[in-house]
Amino acid sequence: MDLAALKTQLKNFVQSMFEEGVLDNQFSQIQALQDSTNPNFVEEVITLFCNDAERIINEINRNLGYQNVDFSNLDSYVHQLKGSSSSIGANRLKLACANLRQASDERNKEGCLQALQLITCEYCLLRRKFQALLHLERSIVELETNQK
Amino acid sequence: MTMEEKMGGSNREDEAMDRFPVGMRVLAVDDDPICLKVLGTLLLKCQYQVTTTNQAISALKMLRENRNRYDLVISDVNMPDMDGFKLLELVGLEMDLPVIMLSAHSDTKLVMKGITHGACDYLLKPVRIEELKNIWQHVVRRKKPDSKDRVNALNQDKASGGIGEAVQTSTSCSDQKFNKKRKDQNEDEEDDGEDNEHENDDPSTQKKPRVVWSVELHRKFVAAVNHLGLDKAVPKKILDLMNVEGLTRENVASHLQKYRLYLKRLSSVATQQANMVAALGGKDPSYLRMGSLDGFGDFRTLTGSGRLSSASLSSYQPSGMFGRLNSSAALNLRGISSGVIQQGHPQTLSNSINGRGKIQPVGLPANQNQNGTLFQGIPTSIELNQLSQNKSANHFGELNPVNNPNVFGVATNFPDARMTVGSSSSSLSTPSGSPLLLQANTQQAQHSGAIGNQSSLGVASLNQESFDMGVHGFSNFVDNGRCHENWQNTVQLSSFPSNSLSTCEAFSHEQLHTNNLQESISWRSSHLSDNPIDLSASMANAGLEDSRGDMQCQISPSNNVIHNIDYAAKQQWGENSSFAGADSLVSGAPYVQHLEAGKLAFNTKLRSNEDFLFEQRKPQNEFSQNNFETLDIISSSMIKPEQYNETGMMEGELGYDAFPLGSCI
């Protein structure tokens, strides 16, 4: 595939994510931050995000596994995840966090588990798409360097 | 893990200033790595110079190392190592830098909290670049009112003298003393000390002159406010009363605002403490006072010179026991208390205590100017405590409000920066030893009520026991031995010279704090009229100044002083405020009178503090404990310097850790 086509593909792909609500405007800002001084910004942020999100989701999972759930602890994790998601523009994931936060406020363990499931789903979807996105990006970069 | 990245071109202030807002130096703090990275990059995009860190503690450290290195701080609200609001307060008081809060939550309550804690702005995540493009306005707003060079130079000159020495002393002392619990704060203190040196050395090179509220200046401020009455204190009048060249109305206005906040916090703590004390039987009003003094002093440090204060306090730790005491006693006054106590004229103190009013100025050795003063004051406070158990309580309450501002400042230095009175026991360990003192004192004052011995004991116990313990009663204290001895001596006029000394120390600290508080509160100053509070106040104000020594002396003459100190100390703990201590001091009304020191507006306040104290104590049991701790610390330090090396004062151990009081808070 040639460079232009790849770029278009990437653009369309991201656009579809916007339309699905998976990503929001914040992601555009992140993309805009990538420039010559920061050529791998998007990739770095995405990688950082995925690692962190997985860690948090695992923690939440673990916490909910206990007999007596520590809801305040849970709340702080949710808060973190929400913050990260919003910073990267992961819209649906951020909304899923709000669900969990509410269930946690209500001290509703069952509700929390359900919300966590939704979060996990959204995250997996997001991660898949991010991986595709990064793959496209790397291909583009490769082509560009080759061309130089 | 701390990530520090210095991004953006040159770090030279010159450049930054010339191209402002381009090159504005921002410090970003957020535990979330993604947010931090995105924020940092966005800031870079706005052409600011960015430093990022994911730990609040390291952020504080960096800021304290060189407060002139940054123009603005952006901090997340939820952080694991330190509450964002706490960091906000500390930065605002110590470094007077604009702080912007960041959060993923937009709860009205949170936003309100940010505002009351002094944030210039509250942004929601995700942060957009458009919002970041305008944050420079907060820097400009802050800079405008400062009279810059003139006032700065003025303050610096004052501070340089005292602080220079103090810094050196304190730095070394503080190293050992600081309570492990408040490790970070210790470091901060040390940094502050060092920082002060830098600042003092090159006042002229300050690019961003700020009004440095030295202890002396603050004392004047508090005196003016007290004179006018807290409610009627308007910046213009305060400015006139203070009669300080180069100080502008705006400087006073912003300081007044902080002071009020501080007092408010203190009052809530004081109330708790007062309750506690009352419950305990107010054994050791002196403790309370001591606390307040301490706290107060701290406050000064924090607010005023920021670093200077710390330095001064540290410097107080002078030699010998007191030195130890200071550090361990978490009497933020460190510098002060140590000085005072060391002077150790135990006898004098004891005498003063016994004599209720006979407190003679202890011939505090000149080691530490401040110390001497403090010391003197302490005995008085103790006596006061005894006498006015109830009063103390009341005062305590009073003190708190006053103290709060001060203490707060002080507290910030210490680990908890805010040694809110009565706040968790852990606060005692907070670095701001002073605040603890206040609290402890207050408590003590309350507890001890009329019993001289008890006072001391109470105090001692308080110190030993973390503030949480609240007024563990004097017996505990006594058992502790360390404090016990000290206190008993002091209080009872007994022969234990050391006690008096410790007390004094505590008081000094408290006084300092209390002074601050008291001055603002001007409450019951009727009681104190004497000065005990002055000592603390002055001390607090002076921060590191040598005046502390003076303050202390003042206190000693009057029993009140001691009492005051208690309040001060207590106050502090209760609420970051040395002020609490002031209250305790105040309670010692009868004694307060003795405090001829008079210098301390504090004294006056002490009287009122008594009431305040009690009030203040109420809310915080912990706070009370703190006070005791403070006293304890003081006494311990007096008697057993080595004891201070322990860090775990708080929680039940009167350990004279560097800042037992700190932990209380």
Side-chain angles (χ1 to χ4, degrees), chain A residues 26 29-30 32-35 38 41 44-45 48-49 52-53 75 79-80 82-84 86-88 94 101, chain B residues 31-35 37-38 41-42 44-45 76-78 103-105 107 110 125-130:
Chain A
Q26 180 67 12
Q29 291 221 1
I30 295 202
L33 283 177
Q34 179 159 298
D35 56 16
N38 234 334
F41 186 66
E44 286 167 11
V45 174
L48 208 57
F49 170 74
D52 204 49
D75 192 63
H79 182 88
Q80 272 185 57
K82 185 173 176 219
S84 307
S86 59
S87 292
I88 200 176
K94 179 181 71 172
R101 194 189 182 201
Chain B
D31 63 316
D32 185 341
I34 294 107
C35 298
K37 189 181 177 72
V38 174
T41 314
L42 283 172
L44 276 179
K45 239 337 193 270
D76 185 28
V77 166
N78 302 75
S103 177
H105 292 327
D107 291 347
L110 278 183
K125 289 184 188 174
V127 183
R128 291 168 306 143
I129 199 164
E130 297 83 12

Side-chain angles (χ1 to χ4, degrees), chain B residues 181-239:
Chain B
K181 288 186 190 178
R182 297 288 168 199
K183 213 168 170 195
D184 53 325
Q185 300 216 344
N186 283 341
E187 291 172 339
D188 289 339
E189 283 284 347
E190 294 167 7
D191 289 344
D192 284 349
E194 292 159 18
D195 219 330
N196 286 331
E197 278 187 10
H198 293 319
E199 285 198 37
N200 292 334
D201 293 340
D202 302 325
S204 55
T205 60
Q206 274 205 336
K207 299 281 184 222
K208 296 183 177 34
R210 291 196 179 90
V211 174
V212 177
W213 282 89
S214 61
V215 174
E216 186 60 42
L217 206 61
H218 185 80
R219 194 164 55 79
K220 279 192 182 157
F221 170 81
V222 177
V225 172
N226 287 330
H227 181 77
L228 294 166
L230 187 64
D231 293 336
K232 295 203 176 63
V234 283
K236 184 82 179 75
K237 288 188 187 161
I238 298 173
L239 186 66

Side-chain angles (χ1 to χ4, degrees), chain A residues 4-71:
Chain A
L6 269 180
K7 284 192 175 174
T8 313
Q9 193 179 7
L10 177 62
K11 191 162 141 252
N12 289 339
F13 185 63
V14 173
Q15 184 63 27
S16 73
M17 283 173 85
F18 280 133
E19 282 163 11
E20 287 171 23
V22 177
L23 288 181
D24 63 22
N25 213 9
Q26 180 67 12
F27 189 74
S28 313
Q29 291 221 1
I30 295 202
Q31 281 185 306
L33 283 177
Q34 179 159 298
D35 56 16
S36 52
T37 59
N38 234 334
N40 298 320
F41 186 66
V42 175
E43 179 170 351
E44 286 167 11
V45 174
I46 288 178
T47 314
L48 208 57
F49 170 74
C50 286
N51 287 336
D52 204 49
E54 279 171 35
R55 179 185 63 87
I56 294 176
I57 291 176
N58 284 333
E59 276 298 321
I60 295 176
N61 209 2
R62 196 167 61 85
N63 263 312
L64 284 176
Y66 294 137
Q67 189 82 355
N68 297 323
V69 179
D70 181 355
F71 286 103

Side-chain angles (χ1 to χ4, degrees), chain B residues 613-631:
Chain B
L613 261 177
F614 286 112
E615 296 167 24
Q616 295 204 351
R617 288 239 255 194
K618 282 180 295 181
Q620 315 233 347
N621 292 327
E622 297 171 341
F623 189 82
S624 319
Q625 297 197 355
N626 293 338
N627 289 337
F628 283 105
E629 282 204 10
T630 318
L631 287 177

Side-chain angles (χ1 to χ4, degrees), chain B residues 4-53:
Chain B
E4 285 187 32
E5 309 167 74
K6 292 233 163 140
M7 307 185 243
S10 155
N11 285 333
R12 293 200 335 239
E13 293 187 24
D14 299 346
E15 283 191 11
M17 291 308 290
D18 294 342
R19 298 178 296 137
F20 194 82
V22 170
M24 184 178 79
R25 297 153 308 163
V26 184
L27 176 65
V29 191
D30 194 335
D31 63 316
D32 185 341
I34 294 107
C35 298
L36 193 62
K37 189 181 177 72
V38 174
L39 179 66
T41 314
L42 283 172
L43 288 168
L44 276 179
K45 239 337 193 270
C46 297
Q47 295 183 282
Y48 300 137
Q49 283 182 35
V50 187
T51 308
T52 63
T53 175

Side-chain angles (χ1 to χ4, degrees), chain A residues 99-116:
Chain A
N99 266 357
L100 179 55
R101 194 189 182 201
Q102 185 163 3
S104 173
D105 283 347
E106 293 165 6
R107 300 289 195 262
N108 176 4
K109 186 171 174 183
E110 194 52 47
C112 285
L113 285 169
Q114 281 178 4
L116 178 63

